[in-house]
Amino acid sequence: MIEVIDAWLRLAASRLHQQAPALTALDQAIGDGDHGTNMNRGFTAIVTFLDAGTPEGDGERAKAAVLLRGAGRTLISTVGGAAGPLYGTALIRAGAATAAADGAPASEVALAALEAATGGIQGLGKSTTGEKTMLDALVPAARAGREAQSAGSDWPVIAEAMAAAAEAGAAATIPLLATKGRASYLGERSIGHQDPGATSAALLLRALADVAAGQTT
Ligand code: ADP
Ligand code: MG
């Protein structure tokens, strides 16, 4: 489990580095043009944190929880924009859910972690779906993951369902009116652009699906 989380965060960091200009361009259209820079800075710091070594912890799940919490704290302390505290809180909540789900199969741990993460974002952001935010990718992803799990799918298929739903959710933010975050200041002018945070959320879940499928680059 630690290996999966480590590989996921590293793959996400390298993709965010590549995609930083594209994420920033999306944020230039409806925000302040820093989302790519923010995510790249935060995940570069996460890689430095990972390089510092495997965390202490009593058992596999406890170590995984420490890793996720540390990554979340790293984002909060290195990213000034809204996305840093939101994703940071999401990772910290995912860590707590991972520790609590001790004994459950890996896919159940991942789903519980994603659900806890979205709950953390909703609480901190006072936001919900349909407001043109990262939640429009993350909430459908969690739902699709649960559906795949109920259908008896194994972990790589569940992770693929989550990534595909997040990508569809990100694309579906284009016609939405932003009512949270900086994009909401634009009012009607936010319509017609894809939300940067929903786009980075889809990138994160695509990286997780690729790690689940055994791909590391
Ligand atoms: P900032 O808006 O401070 O410049 P970023 O550009 O890094 O921060 O992140 C912007 C993204 O954060 C948005 O595209 C949106 O997805 C997300 N976001 C902003 N406010 C909220 C909120 N209240 N709830 C959920 N997500 C939000
Ligand atoms: Mg911004």
Side-chain angles (χ1 to χ4, degrees):
M1 173 149 290
I2 300 183
E3 292 74 18
V4 171
I5 296 168
D6 186 273
W8 167 55
L9 291 170
R10 287 177 191 278
L11 182 58
S14 101
R15 298 225 176 128
L16 284 167
H17 183 73
Q18 283 165 11
Q19 292 299 312
L23 291 171
T24 284
L26 291 175
D27 198 34
Q28 268 159 357
I30 57 168
D32 58 352
D34 64 355
H35 190 61
T37 320
N38 285 343
M39 296 302 286
N40 189 24
R41 185 192 313 119
F43 274 74
T44 301
I46 287 179
V47 170
T48 305
F49 161 75
L50 295 174
D51 286 342
T54 312
E56 298 293 316
D58 196 10
E60 180 79 353
R61 296 284 151 81
K63 281 186 190 157
V66 174
L67 204 61
L68 286 166
R69 269 202 295 271
R73 289 201 186 112
T74 301
L75 278 190
I76 292 173
S77 64
T78 56
V79 181
L86 291 167
Y87 277 128
T89 300
L91 287 172
I92 290 169
R93 292 294 181 85
T98 299
D102 208 358
S107 57
E108 174 56 33
V109 177
L111 280 166
L114 179 57
E115 287 162 356
T118 58
I121 292 170
Q122 284 175 314
L124 180 63
K126 299 185 174 46
S127 43
T128 185
T129 50
E131 297 185 307
K132 202 180 184 93
T133 71
M134 50 180 75
L135 289 171
D136 292 311
L138 295 171
V139 170
R143 199 181 307 124
R146 277 287 170 212
E147 280 165 17
Q149 184 198 41
S150 303
S153 301
D154 60 5
W155 166 233
V157 176
I158 293 171
E160 171 58 36
M162 296 194 314
E167 285 163 354
T173 63
I174 295 173
L176 295 181
L177 173 77
T179 55
K180 286 282 149 57
R182 281 180 200 281
S184 66
Y185 308 157
L186 291 180
E188 301 274 320
R189 279 184 294 136
S190 66
I191 294 171
H193 302 277
Q194 184 163 319
D195 179 60
T199 309
S200 59
L203 181 155
L204 293 175
L205 289 172
R206 175 54 60 194
L208 184 61
D210 286 348
V211 167
Q215 191 182 327
T216 53
T217 55

